[in-house]
Amino acid sequence: GAVVSQHPSRVICKSGTSVKIECRSLDFQATTMFWYRQFPKQSLMLMATSNEGSKATYEQGVEKDKFLINHASLTLSTLTVTSAHPEDSSFYICSARDRVEQYFGPGTRLTVT
Amino acid sequence: DAKTTQPPSMDCAEGRAANLPCNHSTISGNEYVYWYRQIHSQGPQYIIHGLKNNETNEMASLIITEDRKSSTLILPHATLRDTAVYYCIVRVAFAGTASKLTFGTGTRLQVTL
């Protein structure tokens, strides 16, 4: 089946710094990519939807200037958490969709100290 | 997309069938029933989906009632590796739409010896 990778798998950063997370579709071209966030013992919450070459659409309550999404190609999307704070510590999961189905990456555990 | 209701948790003995129910009484005629699962600290994994007919694949069976207001995911011989949170999601088909996967709280299945 289709594979979606994320890098890094886990990252620890200091408060105030920025962190970039990459999401790649390895064997298919993703027309749309999604970014989710999951806090401990909670469900996945959709943060934003991005289409290649256009601006991302953010869900209500998600700060677009804090969570920068770039979808420069059909196989790569990046999420940059700018000026990270401890409350941004979470499990970030990307998802990529081809013409038919949606596939999920393994997730990135972000810890902000 | 229609809302779903699932029990928060279930237990199942290893080797027995696990039957996970889902209510989706407001499902529309063009909405499919999808099942994903999430093993701890991993991204969601697709299991199966259906529109109105029962479906079976190598992982599970999906039984949809005739009125489509509820469904049951069946893992025929549960193993310890099936311990996960199982999400039932209803949505329109992806192709040609901007449909998003929205996750509810799911059912936490614990498979025991």
Side-chain angles (χ1 to χ4, degrees):
Chain A
V3 177
V4 176
S5 71
Q6 281 184 242
H7 178 80
S9 58
R10 59 178 64 231
V11 57
I12 301 172
C13 72
K14 293 186 183 299
S15 185
T17 61
S18 295
V19 174
K20 180 184 286 187
I21 303 170
E22 290 188 351
C23 175
R24 294 182 185 272
S25 56
L26 296 186
D27 49 4
F28 67 100
Q29 292 186 326
T31 55
T32 306
M33 286 187 169
F34 305 86
W35 286 94
Y36 293 80
R37 180 169 55 180
Q38 186 175 33
F39 292 109
K41 297 189 184 302
Q42 294 187 22
S43 187
L44 286 79
M45 296 298 296
L46 180 64
M47 299 174 66
T49 303
S50 73
N51 293 297
E52 183 261 341
S54 60
K55 289 184 178 180
T57 302
Y58 290 81
E59 296 298 304
Q60 191 172 8
V62 178
E63 299 174 59
K64 63 180 181 180
D65 295 329
K66 181 170 183 62
F67 300 99
L68 302 179
I69 292 172
N70 183 280
H71 191 166
S73 77
L74 286 172
T75 60
L76 173 65
S77 175
T78 60
L79 168 68
T80 301
V81 183
T82 63
S83 188
H85 288 95
E87 57 265 30
D88 298 322
S89 297
S90 188
F91 193 51
Y92 291 86
I93 303 169
C94 78
S95 181
R97 190 171 81 199
D98 60 14
R99 291 177 57 85
V100 178
E101 272 310 334
Q102 186 168 337
Y103 310 94
F104 288 84
T108 295
R109 174 82 54 196
L110 170 63
T111 303
V112 185
T113 61
Chain B
D1 293 334
K3 184 178 178 180
T4 62
T5 304
Q6 299 177 251
S9 64
M10 293 183 65
D11 291 333
C12 179
E14 189 176 35
R16 306 297 291 267
N19 298 289
L20 292 89
C22 179
N23 286 324
H24 31 79
S25 58
T26 59
I27 192 170
S28 300
N30 64 344
E31 288 183 312
Y32 289 72
V33 180
Y34 273 73
W35 283 83
Y36 285 80
R37 73 180 182 184
Q38 186 180 25
I39 295 170
H40 183 63
S41 293
Q42 297 182 24
Q45 176 190 21
Y46 165 81
I47 301 173
I48 198 168
H49 76 281
L51 184 61
K52 51 184 177 181
N53 296 323
N54 297 337
E55 302 288 344
T56 295
N57 62 22
E58 64 277 6
M59 289 182 68
S61 294
L62 174 60
I63 308 299
I64 303 174
T65 57
E66 193 169 342
D67 63 7
R68 302 210 321 124
K69 293 185 177 182
S70 66
S71 60
T72 301
L73 177 74
I74 301 173
L75 306 179
H77 305 287
T79 70
L80 296 177
R81 287 177 295 180
D82 293 320
T83 293
V85 178
Y86 287 76
Y87 296 99
C88 168
I89 302 169
V90 294
R91 62 160 179 81
V92 296
F94 281 143
T97 75
S99 176
K100 301 176 287 190
L101 274 178
T102 303
F103 288 80
T105 53
T107 295
R108 185 173 298 276
L109 176 68
Q110 179 69 53
V111 181
T112 57
L113 291 171

